[in-house]
Amino acid sequence: MAGLVRLFFHDCFIRGCDASVLLDLADPSSATEKFGLPNLSLRGFEVIDAAKARIEKECGNVVSCADVLAFAGRDATYFLSNKKVYFEMPAGRYDGRVSLINETLIHLPPPFATVEQLKANFASKGLSADEMVTLSGAHTIGVSHCSSFDDDFSDRLNASTSDMDPKLMASLEKQCRSDTGNDNTVVQDIKTPNKLDNKYYKNVLSHEVLFASDAALLTADDTSAAVRAYAEDNNVWEEKFKAAMVRMGAIEVKTSADGEIRRSCRILNTY
């Protein structure tokens, strides 16, 4: 379910919440967002397919893939929070007709981003610095590939340059630098990896986070204050998270004038 929350985020940050991330490769010359480097590890496409197929069977062509994806992100949040975090997600989105592989790196915040880069990235989508910190709390669920934090850009496992907790670093070195040579995956939150809660912010404060972008939240006064506030009060964070998810779900929403309601989430309508 964590993959559905991430899928929703990655969709909304490229061309808005228009299900463009769901489109498959049409031909070798027109690769879509799905095949961009940051999106290669996305999961949950089959869940959206199944939900869309059921809706098409029961209702006909009236619910967009963009809405299905937004509802899936909402429902995943609900179940991952032990049914505590529920909110009404507005509907009415249309599906986009454009999806370009070369827009993924431009629009998605990288795991090695500085706090100023993160602020600018979220601001470009109409989201505040506080909403950026709030939505970063989603890193309390799911897994990450080691290459996302153990590379030439972040080098989070270098004791001479990283502020990561030594015990966590040692554990990650064993998991990530095995003899297999595979790009292993590790949980993002070592405390409550399958629960959507405020443990992420406590992990930021104790330097037990994977990404340089997570650690960067402590480098500015406003974001650091937000981290501390959310670490102290889970209820406050939950309420902020609900509102931020709805705000994110409104990014660059398409209408009938510039979108469609796809019959299949993976391909454009042909009529």
Side-chain angles (χ1 to χ4, degrees), residues 1-5 7 22 34 42-55 64-65 67-76 79 265-266:
M1 284 189 288
L4 294 173
V5 178
L7 190 59
L22 304 179
K34 183 182 288 187
L42 289 177
R43 297 173 291 122
F45 296 104
E46 71 287 347
V47 176
I48 306 301
D49 290 339
K52 175 64 172 176
R54 179 67 180 272
I55 292 170
S64 68
C65 298
D67 275 351
V68 173
L69 183 50
F71 298 152
R74 173 203 62 192
D75 293 349
F79 288 110
C265 293
R266 293 175 180 260

Side-chain angles (χ1 to χ4, degrees), residues 8-216:
F8 179 45
F9 174 85
H10 279 232
D11 180 49
C12 290
F13 264 59
I14 305 173
R15 291 189 171 268
C17 307
D18 66 350
S20 53
V21 75
L22 304 179
L23 288 169
D24 279 337
L25 186 67
D27 60 69
S29 63
S30 58
T32 59
E33 293 169 26
K34 183 182 288 187
F35 300 92
L37 185 61
N39 289 340
L40 293 177
S41 59
L42 289 177
R43 297 173 291 122
F45 296 104
E46 71 287 347
V47 176
I48 306 301
D49 290 339
K52 175 64 172 176
R54 179 67 180 272
I55 292 170
E56 286 289 309
K57 182 179 179 180
E58 298 291 333
C59 308
N61 192 228
V62 295
V63 180
S64 68
C65 298
D67 275 351
V68 173
L69 183 50
F71 298 152
R74 173 203 62 192
D75 293 349
T77 297
Y78 175 67
F79 288 110
L80 287 165
S81 65
N82 197 26
K83 302 182 180 181
K84 287 184 63 184
V85 182
Y86 180 77
F87 51 92
E88 295 292 336
M89 177 63 78
R93 301 167 188 79
Y94 278 70
D95 299 321
R97 299 190 183 100
V98 179
S99 183
L100 303 172
I101 187 174
N102 61 6
E103 293 187 344
T104 55
L105 288 173
I106 297 172
H107 293 284
L108 291 169
F112 50 83
T114 66
V115 71
E116 293 305 323
Q117 289 170 332
L118 289 171
K119 287 180 179 181
N121 180 267
F122 277 70
S124 71
K125 309 302 175 184
L127 299 173
S128 68
D130 186 66
E131 287 169 326
M132 179 268 289
V133 178
T134 302
L135 290 168
S136 295
H139 286 174
T140 192
I141 51 174
V143 299
S144 168
H145 283 271
C146 292
S147 58
S148 294
F149 57 87
D150 184 25
D151 60 17
D152 292 337
F153 291 102
S154 353
D155 203 14
R156 290 282 288 160
L157 302 187
N158 185 337
S160 64
T161 59
S162 175
D163 69 346
M164 185 183 291
D165 174 78
K167 290 183 179 179
L168 176 59
M169 186 182 296
S171 173
L172 291 173
E173 285 179 332
K174 290 181 180 179
Q175 296 177 73
C176 293
R177 297 179 177 177
S178 63
D179 294 333
T180 63
N182 295 326
D183 186 9
N184 298 333
T185 58
V186 297
V187 296
Q188 295 195 105
D189 178 357
I190 61 173
K191 302 294 177 59
T192 56
N194 299 311
K195 183 179 179 182
L196 189 75
D197 56 22
N198 69 333
K199 286 293 192 299
Y200 165 79
Y201 300 100
K202 297 178 181 181
N203 294 342
V204 172
L205 293 173
S206 61
H207 304 285
E208 295 177 293
V209 286
L210 301 184
F211 307 133
S213 57
D214 293 327

